[in-house]
Amino acid sequence: MEWREASGLGEVVTWTVIPVRGTDAVPPTVVAYVELAEGPWITVRVRGIDPAKLRAGHPVRIGFETPEGGGETIPIALPPHPG
């Protein structure tokens, strides 16, 4: 394995919605497999996309976030266009 530059664009292959027990105030966690435009698949959390609107082939762009309090930066899937 080796690092390769990528465009950061891709499409959702499949996903799951993990509800938070005991409260509706906290949104569910959405985890997806995304196929990057260059071919590799990655596992990401989905942010800023309504889970009810996800579908196979949904376009996304990859961003990164660091958990509050520190920790390892992780890839996330975002809407394809900022804003």
Side-chain angles (χ1 to χ4, degrees), residues 2-83:
E2 62 186 54
W3 287 100
R4 295 285 176 128
E5 190 170 329
S7 66
L9 301 176
E11 295 181 347
V12 172
V13 175
T14 190
W15 68 98
T16 189
V17 178
I18 305 166
V20 177
R21 288 183 162 189
T23 180
D24 290 331
V26 178
T29 298
V30 181
V31 178
Y33 282 118
V34 169
E35 182 174 11
L36 297 176
E38 294 77 16
W41 289 21
I42 62 171
T43 305
V44 295
R45 286 190 176 180
V46 178
R47 300 278 194 251
I49 301 171
D50 181 351
K53 294 184 179 179
L54 275 177
R55 57 176 171 69
H58 192 104
V60 295
R61 67 185 165 87
I62 302 302
F64 296 90
E65 74 178 17
T66 302
E68 284 187 35
E72 188 172 332
T73 300
I74 60 170
I76 58 172
L78 300 163
H81 306 288

